Amino acid sequence: MKSLFMTTVAALAFGTAAASAQTVGFAQIGSESGWRAAETTITRQQADERGIDLKFSDAQQKQENQIAAIRSFIAQGVDAILLAPVVATGWDSVLEEAKDAEIPVVLLDRQVDSDDDLYLTAVGSDLVHEGEVAGQWLVDAVDGKDCRVVELQGTTGSSPAIDRKTGFENAIKGHDNIEIIRSQTGDFTRAQGKEVMESFLQAENGGKDICALYAHNDDMAVGAIQAIKEAGLKPGEDILVVSIDAVPDIFQAMANGEANATVELTPNMAGPAFDALKTYWDSGEAPEKFIQTESKLYTASDDPKGQYEARKGLGY
Ligand code: GZL
């Protein structure tokens, strides 16, 4: 009886949100990569299609700015908050404040270490699986030959950096011919991906001792490809390149023979998030705690020019 009563109360409470146009605050990380830019573009489009008034904040990749944005959204009395958490820790108190204000929070594309009763749901990919798919591609590509790998990690402390590293290591476990010899963060950006790759090349006999690059996102891989070329080596041949996101420019690199594989991450996390919020506003029915988006491997044999054309207008 109690649960029916509570559901009824919740439905009445959220019915108000459903009756008028909803206002949603989006605490976005920044615009560190092409994928992130596409996520922002698509979130705005998805909000417009649903008549949602989206309040947007770009945190310039700083957690303190995201926390300040969430507090501002709470003060404005928004109907829900979208958060793409730049790192996994340090969210408990501000999520408690949102909960106390009865404002549902939906996580996009990254996870937090907080209890899951502090957010309505999380929309994202299986980040460990993405790393496993990338690692398995390399295992198959080198086919038992020795391969010394350098790794460009994402933002330190972020769930994709932690989980994509774990997944790749899972895949190469038991394949003693493959070894990660250097691993450092490039913070998901092209510039830092290039800079760190330059240091890897310098440290490894001009790159002659490197067999492959595993980058946690395509933007760092694109920056690293530039560094490999400037070192006089052929990316995609002398040094294999595998990364994650499936942004247009990695397909351009594949078409040029300069990259080998990428694992797709959909930039449309907002669609499932807004659908879950609508159900919650209309009926008080809470969604599953994790709404998983799919991951798909693309290689140079999957029509990279066509993949580039299919994605280039999507806001990357
Ligand atoms: C992963 C997402 C990552 C992208 C990067 O879910 O958070 O953040 O892979 C972006 O391109 O910077």
Side-chain angles (χ1 to χ4, degrees):
M1 191 55 190
K2 186 166 177 291
S3 61
L4 177 63
F5 172 74
M6 291 308 287
T7 306
T8 308
V9 168
L12 288 172
F14 293 101
T16 49
S20 59
Q22 300 87 358
T23 301
V24 174
F26 181 16
Q28 178 60 298
I29 290 175
S31 54
E32 73 282 0
S33 70
W35 184 91
R36 182 70 54 197
E39 184 188 51
T40 294
T41 299
I42 290 170
T43 301
R44 291 184 191 280
Q45 290 167 348
Q46 292 287 327
D48 289 348
E49 282 173 21
R50 293 168 167 80
I52 287 172
D53 175 16
L54 190 74
K55 310 271 182 203
F56 180 78
S57 160
D58 175 332
Q60 310 283 316
Q61 281 191 279
K62 291 184 175 56
Q63 181 176 28
E64 60 268 26
N65 291 347
Q66 288 194 290
I67 290 171
I70 292 169
R71 289 195 165 120
S72 168
F73 295 147
I74 293 169
Q76 295 173 58
V78 296
D79 297 302
I81 292 169
L82 302 182
L83 168 64
V86 61
V87 292
T89 55
W91 301 100
D92 289 1
S93 52
V94 76
L95 292 177
E96 287 281 2
E97 292 165 35
K99 185 175 181 184
D100 292 346
E102 295 181 344
I103 297 174
V105 174
V106 176
L107 305 180
L108 300 188
D109 80 78
R110 294 188 187 179
Q111 297 283 353
V112 297
D113 287 353
S114 305
D115 285 351
D116 65 12
D117 66 348
L118 291 179
Y119 54 87
L120 181 68
T121 186
V123 180
S125 59
D126 179 336
L127 296 159
V128 172
H129 175 63
E130 292 171 334
E132 288 168 346
V133 171
Q136 189 56 50
W137 175 83
L138 186 63
V139 166
D140 298 341
V142 300
D143 191 22
K145 294 186 199 65
D146 284 353
C147 187
R148 302 169 87 245
V149 184
V150 292
E151 178 182 27
L152 288 170
Q153 296 184 34
T155 302
T156 303
S158 68
S159 60
I162 294 162
D163 290 350
R164 287 174 178 173
K165 180 168 186 50
T166 301
F168 188 87
E169 289 169 352
N170 290 349
I172 66 171
K173 211 175 285 165
H175 297 277
D176 297 341
N177 58 308
I178 301 177
E179 181 194 1
I180 298 174
I181 56 167
R182 292 183 184 275
S183 180
Q184 192 177 325
T185 183
D187 209 17
F188 284 130
T189 70
R190 291 189 186 202
Q192 291 184 60
K194 180 172 189 285
E195 204 177 296
V196 174
M197 189 67 202
E198 284 164 351
S199 70
F200 288 163
L201 290 161
Q202 221 155 28
E204 294 296 334
N205 189 18
K208 293 180 189 59
D209 298 345
I210 299 172
C211 149
L213 162 68
Y214 166 49
H216 291 186
N217 82 332
D218 294 339
D219 279 65
M220 293 190 290
V222 169
I225 285 167
Q226 192 55 39
I228 295 167
K229 288 162 72 172
E230 289 172 4
L233 296 174
K234 294 192 188 80
E237 289 179 40
D238 298 330
I239 297 178
L240 300 174
V241 178
V242 55
S243 55
I244 300 170
D245 276 355
V247 301
D249 285 350
I250 204 65
F251 290 109
Q252 187 59 60
M254 281 188 204
N256 298 338
E258 296 173 348
N260 304 90
T262 186
V263 184
E264 183 173 42
L265 175 73
T266 175
N268 181 11
M269 303 284 181
F274 288 141
D275 289 346
L277 279 167
K278 176 154 179 31
T279 303
Y280 186 65
W281 285 327
D282 290 353
S283 65
E285 183 195 329
E288 294 297 319
K289 279 296 177 183
F290 181 48
I291 299 171
Q292 184 175 332
T293 60
E294 73 163 273
S295 309
K296 185 173 185 297
L297 176 71
Y298 286 90
T299 70
S301 56
D302 292 315
D303 181 20
K305 269 316 267 172
Q307 296 300 336
Y308 173 83
E309 293 300 330
R311 289 168 173 75
K312 71 177 181 181
L314 297 182
Y316 286 95

